[in-house]
Coordinates of all heavy atoms in Angstrom, one line a residue:
I82 N -29.5 13.0 2.8 CA -29.8 13.1 1.3 C -31.2 13.7 1.1 O -31.4 14.6 0.3 CB -29.7 11.7 0.6 CG1 -28.2 11.3 0.6 CG2 -30.3 11.8 -0.8 CD1 -27.3 12.1 -0.3
I86 N -32.1 17.1 -0.9 CA -33.0 17.2 -2.0 C -34.1 18.2 -1.8 O -34.4 19.0 -2.7 CB -33.5 15.8 -2.3 CG1 -32.4 14.9 -2.9 CG2 -34.7 15.8 -3.2 CD1 -32.8 13.4 -3.0
M89 N -32.7 21.5 -2.4 CA -32.4 21.7 -3.8 C -33.7 22.0 -4.6 O -33.6 22.7 -5.6 CB -31.7 20.5 -4.3 CG -31.2 20.6 -5.7 SD -30.3 19.1 -6.2 CE -31.6 17.8 -6.2
Q159 N -21.6 5.5 -12.9 CA -22.3 6.7 -12.7 C -21.7 7.5 -11.6 O -21.6 8.7 -11.6 CB -23.8 6.5 -12.5 CG -24.6 7.8 -12.4 CD -26.0 7.6 -12.0 OE1 -26.4 6.4 -11.7 NE2 -26.8 8.6 -12.0
I160 N -21.4 6.8 -10.5 CA -20.9 7.4 -9.3 C -19.4 6.9 -9.0 O -19.2 5.7 -8.9 CB -21.7 7.1 -8.0 CG1 -23.2 7.4 -8.3 CG2 -21.2 7.9 -6.8 CD1 -23.5 8.8 -8.6
C185 N -17.8 12.0 -7.6 CA -18.1 12.4 -9.0 C -19.4 11.8 -9.4 O -19.5 10.5 -9.5 CB -17.0 12.1 -9.9 SG -15.4 12.7 -9.4
L186 N -20.4 12.6 -9.7 CA -21.7 12.1 -10.1 C -21.9 12.4 -11.6 O -22.1 13.6 -11.9 CB -22.9 12.7 -9.3 CG -23.1 12.2 -7.9 CD1 -21.8 12.5 -7.0 CD2 -24.3 12.9 -7.2
Q187 N -21.9 11.4 -12.5 CA -22.1 11.7 -13.9 C -23.6 11.9 -14.2 O -24.4 11.1 -13.7 CB -21.5 10.6 -14.7 CG -20.0 10.4 -14.6 CD -19.4 9.5 -15.7 OE1 -19.4 9.9 -16.9 NE2 -18.9 8.4 -15.3
L188 N -23.9 12.9 -15.0 CA -25.3 13.3 -15.2 C -25.7 13.1 -16.7 O -24.9 13.4 -17.6 CB -25.4 14.8 -14.8 CG -25.0 15.2 -13.4 CD1 -25.1 16.7 -13.3 CD2 -25.9 14.5 -12.4
D189 N -26.8 12.5 -16.9 CA -27.4 12.3 -18.2 C -28.6 13.2 -18.3 O -29.6 13.0 -17.6 CB -27.8 10.8 -18.4 CG -28.4 10.5 -19.7 OD1 -28.5 11.5 -20.6 OD2 -28.8 9.4 -20.0
F190 N -28.5 14.2 -19.2 CA -29.6 15.1 -19.4 C -30.6 14.7 -20.5 O -31.5 15.5 -20.9 CB -29.0 16.5 -19.7 CG -28.2 17.0 -18.5 CD1 -26.9 17.5 -18.8 CD2 -28.7 17.0 -17.2 CE1 -26.1 18.0 -17.7 CE2 -27.9 17.5 -16.2 CZ -26.6 18.0 -16.4
L199 N -21.7 16.4 -11.5 CA -21.7 17.1 -10.2 C -20.6 16.5 -9.3 O -20.5 15.3 -9.1 CB -23.1 16.9 -9.5 CG -23.4 17.8 -8.3 CD1 -23.4 19.2 -8.7 CD2 -24.7 17.3 -7.6
M201 N -18.4 16.7 -5.7 CA -18.4 17.1 -4.3 C -17.0 16.9 -3.7 O -16.6 15.7 -3.7 CB -19.5 16.3 -3.5 CG -20.9 16.4 -4.1 SD -22.0 15.3 -3.1 CE -23.5 15.4 -4.1
T215 N -22.9 3.4 -2.9 CA -23.3 4.6 -3.7 C -24.8 4.8 -3.9 O -25.2 5.6 -4.7 CB -22.6 4.6 -5.1 OG1 -23.0 3.4 -5.8 CG2 -21.1 4.6 -4.9
N216 N -25.6 3.9 -3.3 CA -27.0 3.9 -3.5 C -27.7 5.3 -3.3 O -28.5 5.8 -4.1 CB -27.8 2.9 -2.7 CG -27.4 1.5 -3.1 OD1 -26.9 1.3 -4.3 ND2 -27.7 0.5 -2.3
L217 N -27.3 5.9 -2.1 CA -27.9 7.2 -1.8 C -27.5 8.3 -2.8 O -28.3 9.1 -3.2 CB -27.5 7.6 -0.4 CG -28.2 6.7 0.8 CD1 -27.6 7.1 2.1 CD2 -29.7 6.9 0.7
L218 N -26.2 8.3 -3.2 CA -25.8 9.3 -4.1 C -26.4 9.0 -5.5 O -26.6 10.0 -6.3 CB -24.3 9.3 -4.2 CG -23.5 9.9 -3.0 CD1 -22.0 9.8 -3.2 CD2 -23.9 11.4 -2.8
E219 N -26.7 7.8 -5.9 CA -27.3 7.5 -7.1 C -28.8 8.1 -7.1 O -29.2 8.6 -8.1 CB -27.4 6.0 -7.4 CG -26.1 5.4 -7.7 CD -26.1 3.9 -7.8 OE1 -27.2 3.3 -7.6 OE2 -25.1 3.3 -8.0
F220 N -29.4 8.0 -6.0 CA -30.8 8.6 -5.8 C -30.7 10.1 -5.9 O -31.5 10.7 -6.7 CB -31.4 8.2 -4.5 CG -32.7 8.8 -4.2 CD1 -33.8 8.5 -5.0 CD2 -32.9 9.7 -3.2 CE1 -35.0 9.1 -4.7 CE2 -34.1 10.3 -2.9 CZ -35.2 10.0 -3.7
F221 N -29.7 10.7 -5.2 CA -29.5 12.1 -5.3 C -29.2 12.6 -6.7 O -29.8 13.6 -7.2 CB -28.4 12.6 -4.4 CG -28.1 14.0 -4.3 CD1 -28.8 14.9 -3.5 CD2 -27.2 14.6 -5.2 CE1 -28.6 16.2 -3.5 CE2 -26.9 16.0 -5.2 CZ -27.7 16.8 -4.3
S222 N -28.4 11.8 -7.4 CA -28.0 12.1 -8.8 C -29.3 12.1 -9.7 O -29.4 12.9 -10.6 CB -27.0 11.2 -9.3 OG -26.6 11.4 -10.7
G223 N -30.1 11.1 -9.5 CA -31.3 11.0 -10.3 C -32.3 12.2 -10.2 O -32.8 12.7 -11.1
V224 N -32.4 12.6 -8.9 CA -33.3 13.8 -8.7 C -32.6 15.0 -9.3 O -33.3 15.9 -9.9 CB -33.5 14.0 -7.2 CG1 -34.2 15.3 -6.9 CG2 -34.2 12.8 -6.6
F225 N -31.3 15.1 -9.2 CA -30.6 16.3 -9.7 C -30.7 16.3 -11.2 O -31.0 17.4 -11.8 CB -29.1 16.3 -9.3 CG -28.4 17.5 -9.7 CD1 -28.4 18.6 -8.9 CD2 -27.7 17.6 -10.9 CE1 -27.7 19.8 -9.2 CE2 -27.0 18.7 -11.3 CZ -27.0 19.8 -10.4
E226 N -30.6 15.2 -11.9 CA -30.7 15.2 -13.3 C -32.1 15.7 -13.8 O -32.2 16.5 -14.7 CB -30.6 13.7 -13.8 CG -29.1 13.2 -13.9 CD -29.0 11.8 -14.3 OE1 -30.1 11.1 -14.2 OE2 -27.9 11.4 -14.7
R227 N -33.1 15.2 -13.1 CA -34.5 15.6 -13.4 C -34.7 17.1 -13.2 O -35.4 17.8 -14.0 CB -35.5 14.8 -12.7 CG -35.6 13.3 -13.2 CD -36.1 12.4 -12.2 NE -36.2 11.0 -12.7 CZ -35.2 10.2 -12.9 NH1 -34.0 10.6 -12.5 NH2 -35.4 9.0 -13.4
S228 N -34.1 17.6 -12.2 CA -34.2 19.1 -11.9 C -33.5 19.9 -13.0 O -34.0 20.9 -13.5 CB -33.6 19.4 -10.5 OG -34.3 18.8 -9.5
M229 N -32.4 19.4 -13.4 CA -31.6 20.1 -14.4 C -32.3 20.0 -15.8 O -32.3 21.0 -16.6 CB -30.2 19.5 -14.6 CG -29.2 19.9 -13.5 SD -28.9 21.7 -13.5 CE -28.2 21.9 -15.2
R230 N -33.0 18.9 -16.1 CA -33.7 18.9 -17.4 C -34.8 19.9 -17.4 O -35.1 20.5 -18.5 CB -34.3 17.5 -17.5 CG -33.3 16.4 -17.8 CD -33.9 15.0 -17.7 NE -32.9 13.9 -17.8 CZ -33.1 12.7 -17.5 NH1 -34.4 12.3 -17.1 NH2 -32.2 11.8 -17.6

Side-chain angles (χ1 to χ4, degrees):
I82 290 294
I86 287 173
M89 185 175 67
Q159 183 187 6
I160 310 294
C185 304
L186 286 60
Q187 296 195 66
L188 306 172
D189 180 1
F190 298 129
L199 189 65
M201 306 177 187
T215 59
N216 290 344
L217 290 175
L218 287 177
E219 287 172 3
F220 176 66
F221 182 85
S222 177
V224 176
F225 187 85
E226 284 177 343
R227 287 159 177 77
S228 296
M229 282 296 299
R230 288 171 189 166

